[in-house]
């Protein structure tokens, strides 16, 4: 058991490291591209990617998740998954080509036709990716997952910047996407010895589990990207570009911390599914870690949104500030949803994921009908925030019953990081108002880094103080302090390792 937890923790560390490295590359790319391209360029690609993402729901069965959850999956399962992925990729590419002209008419944007034709080719290529790389995650070999992600991200980054500098056109973004997918396919065969064959023998078995993942992925898409259709149709490429970039920045806690930790924890949860007590303890440890890491990051993004925009995007993106303030809170809620999804998948109950997505979608759509015509993109942001909050309450009500967790125990894991993060936010907000906002990119960078570091320096002692006042209970703080001590002891006596 302890060995499995160590491997899960090591895997999470690899995935978090990759996300930070990837985000560092992404931030550098965004910083450069925001000055070479205009918001309409990002909006144009967002229009195309929204339609493509909708079509990709045809292949959103997540057969890889089924392979990881099924501890007895054999070669026939892997070959069937690979064959189905290839067939679905070709179908998606054909539909993207067919919809290129109708999409251009819908958005009244003729440039969408060549953009979607180019992206259709990259979607088809992605269908031949080697299914063997699923073993990296299933066997908890996350250092290989790290290298695979790093190499393809670097390739896309270099290609994007070269073309952006050369053409100063949205085609740089298309080239970056295409190169990333080509390199990913090449690496999947270089890094894995597995060679897939055409097979459909296990199709019915895979579909029986993955049909719920398909439904959930459709609902997630509608929740996260449905607003893109409305904003793009009503307000045009400029407003959609602002919303897309704001959504990406505001959801840093989810994309950089939750997804990698969730990706690393799911294989471990699957192995613990038969032991409810061990699974419950693992869940509490993971969600506690999520709260400790994501709450301060999300709130800092919200309170420092103006400095963030001026520093990273420039003054012409200031319209994004109110969007980021709202979406940062959505990012926190989305982050706290993360660990529950892996629990339901490990228990073989993926239908529950669809239930919570339905709750969020119904509430968000209902509110968009009222708020988007009046408030535009900001109304859409508020709509998905309220929908996600209500879905989270429903979600937590189910998970405490599924794992036999008392609400008081779950609250005991969450209240200290929540309180510490809110106190930190109040102090940083007071300081930023007293100092005022810088008008230049340089002064914004100074304030962003200075207040961000100050927020961390305030959050850590407040969190530890609340933990001490609570009687030093076993929890996330205990685990983190123990890990720090172990690292310090190892550095002082490396021969003992």
């Amino acid at each position: 058991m302890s060995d499995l937890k160590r491997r899960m923790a090591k895997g999470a560390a690899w995935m978090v490291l990759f996300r930070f490295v990837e985000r560092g590359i992404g931030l550098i790319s965004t910083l450069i591209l925001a000055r070479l391209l205009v918001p309409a360029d990002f909006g144009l690609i967002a229009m195309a990617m929204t339609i493509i993402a909708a079509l990709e729901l045809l292949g959103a069965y997540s057969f890889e998740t089924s392979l990881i959850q099924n501890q007895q999956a054999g070669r026939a399962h892997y070959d069937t998954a690979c064959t189905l992925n290839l067939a679905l990729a070709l179908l998606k590419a054909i539909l993207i080509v067919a919809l290129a002209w109708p999409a251009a008419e819908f958005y009244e944007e003729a440039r969408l036709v060549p953009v979607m034709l180019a992206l259709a080719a990259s979607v088809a290529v992605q269908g031949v990716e080697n299914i063997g790389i699923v073993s990296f995650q299933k066997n908890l070999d996350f250092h290989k997952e790290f290298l695979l992600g790093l190499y393809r991200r670097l390739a896309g980054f270099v290609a994007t910047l070269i073309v952006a500098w050369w053409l100063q056109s949205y085609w740089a973004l298309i080239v970056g996407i295409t190169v990333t997918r080509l390199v990913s396919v090449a690496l999947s065969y270089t890094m894995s010895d597995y060679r897939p064959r055409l097979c459909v023998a296990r199709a019915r078995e895979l579909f029986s589990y993955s049909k719920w993942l398909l439904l959930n992925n459709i609902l997630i898409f509608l929740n996260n990207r449905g607003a893109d259709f409305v904003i793009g149709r009503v307000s045009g490429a400029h407003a959609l570009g602002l919303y897309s970039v704001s959504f990406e920045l505001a959801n840093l806690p989810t994309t950089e911390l939750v997804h990698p930790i969730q990706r690393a924890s799911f294989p471990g949860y699957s192995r613990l599914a038969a032991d409810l007590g061990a699974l419950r303890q693992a869940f509490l440890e993971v969600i506690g870690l999520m709260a400790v890491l994501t709450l301060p990051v999300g709130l800092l993004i919200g309170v420092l949104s103006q400095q963030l925009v001026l520093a990273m995007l420039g003054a012409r993106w200031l319209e994004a500030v109110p969007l980021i303030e709202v979406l940062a809170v959505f990012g926190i809620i989305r982050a706290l949803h993360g660990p529950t999804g892996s629990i339901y998948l490990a228990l073989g109950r993926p239908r529950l994921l669809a239930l919570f997505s339905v709750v969020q979608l119904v509430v968000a759509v209902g509110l968009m009908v009222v708020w988007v015509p009046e408030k535009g993109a900001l109304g859409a942001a508020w709509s998905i925030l309220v929908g996600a909050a209500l879905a989270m309450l429903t979600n937590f009500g189910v998970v405490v019953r599924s794992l036999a967790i008392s609400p008081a125990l779950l609250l005991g894991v969450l209240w200290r990081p929540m309180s510490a993060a809110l106190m930190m936010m109040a102090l940083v907000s007071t300081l930023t108002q007293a100092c005022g906002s810088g008008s230049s990119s340089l002064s914004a960078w100074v304030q962003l880094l200075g207040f961000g570091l100050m927020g961390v320096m305030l959050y850590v002692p407040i969190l530890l103080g609340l933990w001490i006042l609570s009687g030093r209970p076993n929890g996330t703080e205990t685990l983190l302090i123990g890990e720090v001590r172990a690292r310090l002891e190892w550095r002082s006596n490396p021969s003992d390792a």
Side-chain angles (χ1 to χ4, degrees):
M1 187 68 65
S2 60
D3 179 65
L4 177 59
K5 286 187 177 181
R6 282 195 297 270
R7 295 181 66 190
M8 288 173 62
K10 187 175 181 180
W14 274 111
M15 290 296 93
V16 171
L17 175 62
F18 168 69
R19 292 303 298 188
F20 274 107
V21 172
E22 183 184 44
R23 178 49 56 186
I25 296 172
L27 287 177
I28 294 172
S29 177
T30 300
L31 182 64
I32 297 173
L33 292 175
R35 285 159 172 77
L36 293 175
L37 308 179
V38 297
D41 290 331
F42 290 91
L44 178 65
I45 301 304
M47 288 177 177
M49 293 305 297
T50 299
I51 296 171
I52 291 173
L55 292 176
E56 286 186 341
L57 292 173
L58 293 171
Y61 285 94
S62 300
F63 296 123
E64 294 80 3
T65 301
S66 179
L67 296 177
I68 295 170
Q69 190 272 339
N70 183 3
Q71 297 298 302
Q72 284 74 46
R75 181 177 183 94
H77 294 86
Y78 280 78
D79 288 343
T80 300
C82 189
T83 303
L84 294 175
N85 282 339
L86 174 59
L88 290 170
L90 294 175
L91 176 60
K92 287 183 289 185
I94 293 170
L95 290 175
I96 292 170
V97 172
L99 288 175
W101 286 269
E105 292 183 8
F106 175 78
Y107 283 114
E108 298 179 353
E109 181 57 78
R111 294 176 297 174
L112 269 180
V113 173
V115 167
M116 292 185 65
L117 293 180
L119 291 173
S122 69
V123 169
V125 169
Q126 195 174 22
V128 299
E129 188 172 75
N130 187 0
I131 196 70
I133 59 176
V134 172
S135 63
F136 298 167
Q137 187 177 356
K138 185 169 185 175
N139 298 329
L140 302 175
D141 293 330
F142 286 99
H143 66 287
K144 295 180 180 179
E145 187 94 357
F146 171 83
L147 292 176
L148 174 64
L150 177 62
Y151 293 153
R152 65 188 179 193
R153 186 67 178 88
L154 283 173
F157 167 74
V158 172
T160 301
L161 292 190
I162 289 175
V163 177
W165 173 80
W166 181 30
L167 299 178
Q168 295 191 18
S169 163
Y170 54 85
W171 280 102
L173 302 173
I174 299 170
V175 169
I177 293 170
T178 304
V179 169
T180 298
R181 289 176 172 174
L182 287 171
V183 171
S184 181
V185 170
L187 288 174
S188 70
Y189 288 93
T190 302
M191 299 181 66
S192 173
D193 294 331
Y194 189 85
R195 293 296 178 263
R197 297 176 297 200
L198 294 178
C199 174
V200 292
R202 299 294 183 180
R204 178 174 294 182
E205 183 180 345
L206 289 175
F207 277 118
S208 67
Y209 178 88
S210 297
K211 63 186 178 183
W212 291 106
L213 299 180
L214 171 65
L215 176 59
N216 184 61
N217 287 333
I218 291 174
L219 292 168
I220 289 175
F221 169 81
L222 292 175
N223 277 312
N224 293 339
R225 303 295 296 273
D228 291 5
F229 287 105
V230 179
I231 297 170
R233 182 71 176 91
V234 174
S235 303
H238 177 81
L240 181 55
L242 288 170
Y243 182 85
S244 299
V245 174
S246 299
F247 190 95
E248 180 182 355
L249 290 177
N251 279 265
L252 284 171
T254 302
T255 56
E256 312 318 317
L257 297 172
V258 175
H259 285 173
I261 294 175
Q262 185 176 354
R263 188 177 180 87
S265 62
F266 171 55
Y269 285 163
S270 297
R271 298 187 183 191
L272 295 173
D275 187 342
L276 187 61
L279 185 62
R280 176 171 57 244
Q281 182 60 34
F283 167 75
L284 290 172
E285 290 174 356
V286 170
I287 198 169
L289 179 62
M290 296 284 198
V292 166
L293 295 177
T294 60
L295 282 165
V297 176
L299 292 180
L300 276 175
I301 288 173
V303 77
L304 298 177
S305 57
Q306 183 165 337
Q307 290 84 353
L308 184 70
V309 168
L310 285 171
M312 295 186 176
L313 305 177
R316 61 182 173 180
W317 290 82
L318 279 173
E319 295 173 82
V321 171
L323 288 170
I324 293 175
E325 291 174 344
V326 176
L327 292 171
V329 181
F330 166 75
I332 294 173
I333 294 174
R334 190 180 177 202
L336 294 179
H337 270 289
T340 61
S342 296
I343 290 292
Y344 300 135
L345 292 176
L347 292 174
R349 303 172 66 186
R351 62 187 180 277
L352 289 176
L353 294 176
L355 169 64
F356 308 129
S357 294
V358 166
V359 172
Q360 180 177 339
L361 180 63
V362 169
V363 174
V365 169
L367 292 175
M368 282 186 194
V369 171
V370 179
W371 287 345
V372 170
E374 178 184 350
K375 301 178 184 297
L378 188 59
W382 274 108
S383 298
I384 66 170
L385 169 59
V386 176
L390 293 177
M392 184 179 72
L393 293 176
T394 308
N395 185 3
F396 280 6
V398 173
V399 79
V400 296
R401 289 195 296 272
S402 299
L403 297 180
I405 301 173
S406 69
L409 183 60
L410 181 60
L411 182 61
V413 172
L414 298 177
W415 79 267
R416 290 188 300 275
M418 290 176 63
S419 301
L422 287 171
M423 285 187 271
M424 176 272 295
M425 181 189 72
L427 291 171
V428 172
S429 178
T430 301
L431 291 171
T432 56
Q433 291 176 9
C435 296
S437 299
S439 57
S440 68
S441 177
L442 178 59
S443 61
W445 269 112
V446 171
Q447 289 192 358
L448 179 64
L449 296 175
F451 287 127
L453 179 60
M454 186 178 300
V456 174
M457 295 175 65
L458 288 170
Y459 174 73
V460 172
I462 293 174
L463 177 64
L464 292 177
L466 292 174
W467 176 66
I468 293 171
L469 290 174
S470 301
R472 303 173 187 251
N474 286 328
T476 306
E477 299 90 345
T478 310
L479 295 174
L480 292 176
I481 291 173
E483 184 65 22
V484 171
R485 286 177 176 172
R487 295 293 179 184
L488 292 175
E489 290 175 1
W490 181 85
R491 287 182 178 276
S492 61
N493 298 290
S495 60
D496 296 337

